[in-house]
Amino acid sequence: MIISNRRITGLSADVIAELVAEVGPLWHERHQAKLTSRPRKRAVGAGAKHRLAFVDRLLATLVHLRHGATHDVPACWFGVDRSTVTRAIGEVRPLLAERGCTVSPGVRLRTLAEVVEHLGASGKTGIVDGTEIRVRRPAAGRKDRDRFISGKNKQNAVKSMVVTDGEGRVLWCSPTEPGSCADITHARKLGLVKLLTDGPAVEILADAGYQGLGAQTGGRVVTPPHRKFKKDAPDWYEEMYERQRKAHSSRRIRVEHGIAHLKNWRALARHLGRREHASDTVQAVAGLLSHQQTADLEPRRQG
């Protein structure tokens, strides 16, 4: 029932079957390595058996990411303890994050360098934007407590940079930074400037938060036009400025659509777990969403 209902997991049954075939062996391999890495009094495989098969562990993780459900909910569904579900999600989520974003069958983008190379080879335009995810407030007395306060939304958050193509398909999501980090600073930390100046000729659309990168990348990052008149601007300039701004915005809006699809997974609307797990969460969701988008597009390509 859970597998066959896309409203519950956010994925089709075919995509879930592909995940089981791909991620299942990796999970089993890491589980066995963990068992053999410590001194044991009993042989590996002795003792109580798993009550939660890998496919159920995957489904519990998907339900948690899709709906932001507490771990008690899948624990009741599968008839296990909440700690079992917590441990299962902690094991499966990093494996999903490591998969990267699927842009076509068998082709994955796992790093920003691979995204730039893909855009250059395909001749497509990339769009970047930052998105914030609310997180729990750090405990009182922590030295870095204020780092998570977003200057934009005035709340505790972490920030990730999202890259989509011109159609709004998610190509990559970055690891998270504290909410106080500016969009342009985050892009520089990720090495976007060096990748664009040393790599193929690629056009990247961005909003005003990235102004300054255009000059550093030889015009490869395109941002909205600067406003030259601070006040008392002539009418002809106001009309031209508004026309240019709207033209840029209409091209860049697709990244907002891509972020909206990401935020449909409720774990990214507000992250209730540990802040250090937010990177795995956003990258896991990006990979799952891109995989489903690719699966949905494949029949159209064949037709």
Side-chain angles (χ1 to χ4, degrees):
M1 178 61 182
I2 297 178
I3 294 180
S4 62
N5 195 332
R6 185 167 171 175
R7 294 175 61 187
I8 297 179
T9 62
L11 304 176
S12 64
D14 292 339
V15 171
I16 293 177
E18 292 174 8
L19 289 175
V20 172
E22 176 188 348
V23 182
L26 297 177
W27 174 83
H28 182 74
E29 179 182 343
R30 292 193 181 184
H31 181 68
Q32 291 298 112
K34 183 178 179 181
L35 291 178
T36 57
S37 65
R38 62 177 186 264
R40 302 181 57 89
K41 294 183 179 180
R42 293 186 293 183
V44 175
K49 306 302 179 185
H50 286 304
R51 294 183 58 192
L52 200 62
F54 173 76
V55 63
D56 293 335
R57 293 170 184 265
L58 175 62
L59 292 175
T61 304
L62 294 178
V63 170
H64 168 69
L65 295 175
R66 178 65 174 170
H67 299 285
T70 62
H71 297 178
D72 290 303
V73 175
C76 291
W77 283 358
F78 295 111
V80 296
D81 191 76
R82 178 171 60 88
S83 62
T84 302
V85 172
T86 300
R87 184 166 54 252
I89 293 175
E91 293 171 350
V92 175
R93 182 175 51 203
L95 295 175
L96 296 177
E98 293 170 6
R99 295 177 64 251
C101 291
T102 305
V103 294
S104 62
V107 179
R108 300 275 174 79
L109 303 178
R110 295 182 174 87
T111 65
L112 186 57
E114 293 177 352
V115 173
V116 173
E117 183 179 352
H118 167 74
L119 292 173
S122 61
K124 294 183 178 180
T125 296
I127 315 175
V128 301
D129 198 10
T131 184
E132 294 183 350
I133 304 164
R134 289 187 63 187
V135 294
R136 291 174 175 173
R137 188 180 186 186
R142 282 191 53 167
K143 293 187 296 184
D144 60 347
R145 193 183 194 196
D146 293 341
R147 293 181 62 217
F148 292 92
I149 299 178
S150 166
K152 178 180 180 181
N153 293 323
K154 312 302 181 187
Q155 61 188 13
N156 290 273
V158 292
K159 178 176 294 184
S160 178
M161 189 177 81
V162 180
V163 184
T164 69
D165 60 15
E167 299 174 352
R169 291 185 58 202
V170 177
L171 301 180
W172 187 69
C173 282
S174 73
T176 58
E177 286 282 338
S180 61
C181 181
D183 288 348
I184 190 170
T185 303
H186 193 190
R188 287 168 176 159
K189 286 184 177 180
L190 293 170
L192 181 61
V193 174
K194 180 174 177 57
L195 290 173
L196 292 178
T197 53
D198 297 343
V202 177
E203 182 186 47
I204 302 292
L205 302 180
D207 62 12
Y210 296 90
Q211 281 184 344
L213 290 187
Q216 295 178 352
T217 59
R220 295 183 180 181
V221 176
V222 182
T223 56
H226 286 277
R227 189 177 184 88
K228 296 181 180 180
F229 290 86
K230 298 297 182 182
K231 57 182 180 179
D232 299 329
D235 293 340
W236 65 266
Y237 177 81
E238 288 287 359
E239 294 177 4
M240 182 189 68
Y241 174 80
E242 192 67 17
R243 185 170 59 252
Q244 292 176 345
R245 188 187 65 82
K246 286 185 177 180
H248 179 83
S249 179
S250 65
R251 296 184 65 199
R252 199 194 62 82
I253 193 63
R254 294 303 182 93
V255 71
E256 304 289 355
H257 298 164
I259 291 175
H261 288 306
L262 287 172
K263 293 296 181 73
N264 282 336
W265 292 68
R266 304 305 297 172
L268 298 186
R270 181 173 183 178
H271 182 72
L272 298 177
R274 295 180 180 270
R275 288 177 297 279
E276 55 268 27
H277 294 163
S279 289
D280 281 348
T281 299
V282 68
Q283 291 180 311
V285 171
L288 295 170
L289 176 61
S290 65
H291 194 159
Q292 186 61 62
Q293 288 176 332
T294 299
D296 291 340
L297 285 173
E298 200 57 28
R300 303 179 194 174
R301 291 172 177 169
Q302 294 175 355

